[in-house]
Amino acid sequence: MSLVKYEKRDGVGLVLVDNPPVNAFSVGVPRGIMESLAAAAADPDVSAVVVAGSGRTFIAGADIKRLGAWPEGEPNLRDAIEVCEASEKPVVAAIHGHALGGGLELAMACHYRVSTADARLGQPEVKIGVPPGAGGTQRLPRLVGAAKALEMILSGAPISGAQAAGVGLVDRAVERDLVDKAVAFAAERAASGGPHPRVRDREVRVDDPGIFDAMRKQIERRARGMRAPYACIECVEAAVQLPFDEGIAREYEIFDAQVRSPEAAALRHLFFAERQIARVPGIGKDIVTRDIREGAVIGAGTMGSGIAMNFANAGIPVKLFDLGGEQLDRAMAAIERNYASTVSKGRLSEAAMRERLERITPVLELEAVASADFVIEAVFEEMALKLDTFARLDAICKPEAIIASNTSYLDVNRIAAATGRASQVLGTHFFSPANVMRLLEVVRTDSVSDEVLATTLGVGRRMGKVPVVSGVCHGFIGNRMLEGYLREAAFLVEEGALPQDVDRVLTDFGFPMGPFAVSDLAGLDIGWRSRRDHHAAEDERRYSGTIGDRLCERGCFGQKTGSGYYRYEAGSRAPIPSPEVEALIKEVSAELGIERRAIDDEEILSRCIYPVVNEGAKVLDEGIALRAGDIDIVWLNGYGFPAHRGGPMHYADHVGIASIYRRVCDYHERHGAWWQPAPLLERMAREGTTFAERDA
Ligand code: NAI
């Protein structure tokens, strides 16, 4: 089957890329384009060429699996682009749907571009850890100027065909009859005789020569540990400083090195992992999901208010219930403040804010939620309260309503059993702040039906979340794995490190914040109170964190009290290491009979990350997570795991399973039962397999 079709229309050669679903540049597509162009060149009856995509889009990008792994001797995108640009007959790109990555690069190598007004054009390569690598960084600035090119390439965000016409990326935007109009335009350009403009011959417009350094500064925070954004800037800079041929050689060189980097491998992995999460056993394409027209949230606290916003943002009217008017007033005020801040940043219109606010109705009668199709409970984290709440909801809600719990740790099977509709009860574990964080763990109880699970995943997606299915266990995928991370951070401080040492190593690794700064932000008192109040069997296997308790006893709850593991100046969130905390830490070490020692960065990193990997292997082995990739998506979107490391399981593959296993065994010997090696890790180390292979 040919991936590229060629036909003639009114004396114009029409090259149609036909590689569904998105006409990606698979092996064979560049060759097909080159053959079609050759046929057009050789045909005296053809005066011009139009390149278009068949089906619903132009060319949506490269075949990401093939990036950096193209078969030897097979023509590639760069070859097709050269032939296209060298064509003596004018070539017009006719763009509808998406022209992304290599698709846009090919279009820019054509002499002219015609686009539908609603098409999307962009260079999203940075998201998979590479700069555009087929001339995109050289041609885009020649068309739209250096500043706009940098903005597009660094954000990876596409612009519309109409916008593209405005900035000079396309010659004209049309509403309909794209291919016919492109053919007519091509014939007209051919008749005009030429010469036909080549993008490579244009000058790059640079309004501000300082823009490159300014950009490097601007992305510093966002690009922490990543090389790709800097590589993009370097390439565009080359477009400005060098003649075209040298500039493009520089781009190729930078791309070819970057595409083989661990960073690019990690981001490619996450790209595919995010697409895999929707593949869930029991949920096929034919599954019928329920219509969700009205939502309800029980408990208008920190989480409940954010979850109500999620419903409103998804266009679903929602009732927000709490026990007292005061709680509801506080919640509605917080929600308004939140939307208003988005409006002030220009990311939401005033009208949209009103619309969303109108969708949220605070209610004081539980009976008011009787009409809801989807109810999410977010009351205090206490089993007895949850059981009682679910029994009452079961009695009030309509029979087909789905009832979900936002519990962080509790057994959702038990909660489901408190109702007479266990097949319609499951967990929806949002992350704080619930309206911002993309992760949603959907906890699949033993009795929940596939239909209800699929409906819940759909609701999560409508809310703009990344819903990952988790089995039932203490803490589900993410929080269960987090325990070892926090525990070891606390131990390291008792043994000789300081909070700022541990935090520095983890931010250098790529986390936006270290564990102690995060604890200060979240508030140390929450864990302390729950340890104090529920000093019960369930908590015994968890480390209690002596230093954290000591700080709380002194009223140091973190940022909100101006001191915790760090101190904070009034109105500032910047953590400042504190001599008093250091003294307290030394006191605790002495009390525990620990002789403090120097701990190097490598130990800090492995002590914090390897328990995450080890627990992840258990989570996987027990079937709590469906795939190692799902765990990586959880850690990326819920815990700030650095994207360029690909998530804890991908990182483990990168380091080597056998070497991690050896270290876990070593720590097990030295530190005891916390470090019980996961049987799966042992097996994988012995067999020499990887998590990626296990997922495949
Ligand atoms: P919160 O203390 O901010 O809010 C709880 C709200 O529930 C309060 O407004 C309270 O008045 C209300 N409430 C208590 N009993 C009620 C009842 N019988 N009926 C109706 N409302 C009642 O707590 P938060 O932080 O929002 O947590 C709620 C749930 O979400 C807990 O299960 C928690 O484990 C979970 N969660 C919390 C996260 C966080 O970071 N805070 C993250 C993920 C889950």
Side-chain angles (χ1 to χ4, degrees):
M1 255 237 335
S2 165
L3 300 176
V4 180
K5 301 204 160 46
Y6 177 69
E7 61 188 72
K8 279 198 276 186
R9 256 195 225 181
D10 307 329
V12 170
L14 179 59
V15 181
L16 259 188
V17 178
D18 186 19
N19 182 25
V22 295
N23 296 330
F25 276 110
S26 310
V27 173
V29 172
R31 181 159 28 92
I33 292 173
M34 288 158 74
E35 284 166 6
S36 302
L37 287 168
D43 187 341
D45 295 337
V46 163
S47 67
V49 183
V50 166
V51 179
S54 86
R56 56 185 157 91
T57 185
F58 185 67
I59 298 167
D63 177 350
I64 294 171
K65 286 217 161 77
R66 286 279 180 196
L67 271 192
W70 198 257
E72 198 76 40
E74 173 72 25
N76 61 27
L77 173 58
R78 290 172 182 170
D79 301 322
I81 279 178
E82 257 182 47
V83 170
C84 183
E85 191 166 60
S87 165
E88 304 221 332
K89 298 178 181 175
V91 184
V92 177
I95 300 165
H96 75 301
H98 289 92
L100 300 178
L104 183 57
E105 289 176 305
L106 176 70
M108 291 190 295
C110 298
H111 303 97
Y112 305 99
R113 285 151 295 283
V114 179
S115 160
T116 59
D118 63 355
R120 313 287 296 162
L121 297 86
Q123 299 282 181
E125 288 87 342
V126 72
K127 295 183 180 171
I128 51 166
V130 291
T137 66
Q138 306 302 299
R139 291 191 182 87
L140 188 58
R142 284 180 160 78
L143 283 166
V144 303
K148 182 73 188 168
L150 278 174
E151 178 198 315
M152 287 178 68
I153 292 171
L154 284 172
S155 71
I159 61 174
S160 71
Q163 289 167 322
V167 296
L169 179 53
V170 303
D171 298 282
R172 54 179 72 171
V174 302
E175 289 298 333
R176 60 186 71 80
D177 307 325
L178 172 72
V179 172
D180 290 345
K181 286 184 176 150
V183 166
F185 180 60
E188 175 198 311
R189 296 320 304 163
S192 80
H196 305 292
R198 298 188 305 175
V199 173
R200 56 172 288 146
D201 299 331
R202 297 169 63 138
E203 291 289 315
V204 183
R205 198 181 71 239
V206 190
D207 296 329
D208 168 16
I211 186 155
F212 299 104
D213 284 335
M215 273 294 174
R216 274 188 269 266
K217 260 213 103 43
Q218 196 183 317
I219 62 169
E220 230 165 57
R221 259 181 70 87
R222 206 160 24 104
R224 179 194 294 286
M226 296 221 212
R227 156 95 184 111
Y230 296 99
C232 292
I233 296 176
E234 220 176 296
C235 290
V236 177
E237 210 169 12
V240 173
Q241 293 172 345
L242 303 174
F244 183 84
D245 287 322
E246 286 172 41
I248 202 160
R250 186 90 190 95
E251 179 202 275
Y252 287 2
E253 191 187 314
I254 292 173
F255 174 93
D256 292 348
Q258 186 63 22
V259 77
R260 282 190 293 271
S261 67
E263 166 186 341
L267 291 165
R268 280 199 296 274
H269 159 71
L270 290 169
F271 177 88
F272 289 115
E274 185 164 335
R275 276 147 192 81
Q276 286 291 314
I277 57 172
R279 282 192 37 214
V280 176
I283 298 186
K285 278 207 162 45
D286 49 351
I287 193 120
V288 182
T289 57
R290 301 188 186 178
D291 214 9
I292 302 300
R293 294 170 186 214
E294 188 185 321
V297 178
I298 312 302
T302 313
M303 294 305 287
S305 342
I307 297 169
M309 290 175 78
N310 288 335
F311 274 115
N313 297 347
I316 305 171
V318 58
K319 305 242 171 72
L320 179 58
F321 170 81
D322 208 305
L323 296 176
E326 201 183 305
Q327 287 92 315
L328 287 177
D329 289 346
R330 203 176 332 119
M332 291 309 291
I335 291 171
E336 270 207 63
R337 259 201 318 280
N338 224 310
Y339 279 134
S341 128
T342 315
V343 170
S344 75
K345 288 179 193 141
R347 295 209 303 259
L348 188 73
S349 73
E350 194 79 43
M353 160 169 163
R354 289 279 137 233
E355 240 172 61
R356 291 179 192 198
L357 279 171
E358 273 162 27
R359 290 195 190 111
I360 306 176
T361 313
V363 297
L364 276 168
E365 304 291 321
L366 192 60
E367 284 68 23
V369 310
S371 51
D373 305 297
F374 203 105
V375 183
I376 298 180
E377 166 278 314
V379 303
F380 301 133
E381 183 80 343
E382 289 166 23
M383 187 50 115
L385 177 62
K386 304 260 185 205
L387 294 176
D388 178 60
T389 305
F390 270 75
R392 289 174 48 200
L393 286 170
D394 189 34
I396 288 171
C397 294
K398 57 186 185 187
E400 65 275 24
I402 297 170
I403 315 180
S405 174
N406 186 51
T407 178
S408 312
Y409 289 98
L410 300 174
D411 180 348
V412 194
N413 282 329
R414 263 185 79 194
I415 294 175
T419 70
R421 63 174 88 196
S423 67
Q424 291 166 200
V425 175
L426 75 176
T428 48
H429 183 218
F430 290 85
F431 286 69
S432 183
N435 58 310
V436 175
M437 298 292 283
R438 288 181 77 218
L439 180 62
L440 171 63
E441 284 180 322
V442 174
V443 185
R444 188 177 203 165
T445 54
D446 293 344
S447 41
V448 71
S449 73
D450 293 346
E451 180 206 348
V452 167
L453 180 68
T455 303
T456 306
L457 293 170
V459 169
R461 278 189 288 269
R462 276 174 76 187
M463 291 174 168
K465 302 297 170 191
V466 178
V468 178
V469 173
S470 168
V472 177
C473 68
H474 183 79
F476 318 122
I477 297 174
N479 281 349
R480 171 171 162 181
M481 292 169 65
L482 182 68
E483 249 165 44
Y485 175 79
L486 296 179
R487 179 194 73 225
E488 290 303 314
F491 277 153
L492 284 162
V493 167
E494 287 176 4
E495 290 168 35
L498 291 173
Q500 55 269 32
D501 301 326
V502 176
D503 281 358
R504 176 184 46 78
V505 169
L506 289 156
T507 50
D508 283 354
F509 182 72
F511 280 95
M513 290 168 94
F516 294 104
V518 170
S519 299
D520 273 359
L521 174 66
L524 308 183
D525 52 322
I526 301 173
W528 173 60
R529 288 219 175 83
S530 101
R531 284 194 294 274
R532 207 184 44 187
D533 301 345
H534 305 267
H535 176 56
E538 182 173 69
D539 286 327
E540 239 164 55
R541 61 198 165 103
R542 291 159 73 184
Y543 173 64
S544 65
T546 316
I547 292 163
D549 284 354
R550 253 347 133 70
L551 286 168
C552 287
E553 284 157 19
R554 297 181 174 193
C556 304
F557 295 160
Q559 276 192 25
K560 58 185 161 191
T561 58
S563 62
Y565 287 104
Y566 297 95
R567 72 185 177 79
Y568 299 85
E569 302 206 316
S572 160
R573 289 167 170 275
I576 306 168
S578 140
E580 286 101 81
V581 174
E582 189 174 334
L584 171 75
I585 288 170
K586 289 184 172 153
E587 212 177 286
V588 170
S589 302
E591 275 171 36
L592 293 170
I594 297 171
E595 190 168 332
R596 293 179 67 80
R597 62 187 169 94
I599 300 181
D600 64 24
D601 291 0
E602 196 282 332
E603 178 174 349
I604 292 178
L605 187 66
S606 58
R607 287 274 298 277
C608 291
I609 302 293
Y610 292 3
V612 175
V613 173
N614 195 41
E615 198 64 33
K618 294 178 189 173
V619 158
L620 203 54
D621 215 12
E622 291 168 25
I624 297 297
L626 291 170
R627 286 162 291 257
D630 286 28
I631 296 178
D632 288 336
I633 291 298
V634 163
W635 273 76
L636 176 78
N637 293 294
Y639 300 87
F641 200 95
H644 68 283
R645 307 280 185 186
M649 311 317 274
H650 177 87
Y651 177 69
D653 278 352
H654 171 72
V655 173
I657 303 297
S659 108
I660 292 188
Y661 174 67
R662 276 197 304 276
R663 286 302 283 284
V664 169
C665 292
D666 176 34
Y667 288 142
H668 186 216
E669 254 171 47
R670 282 201 261 162
H671 302 285
W674 303 114
W675 283 90
Q676 184 66 46
L680 176 62
L681 212 55
E682 188 273 325
R683 266 194 331 268
M684 289 175 65
R686 190 160 27 83
E687 292 163 2
T689 52
T690 62
F691 288 114
E693 285 163 355
R694 200 174 180 278
D695 275 1

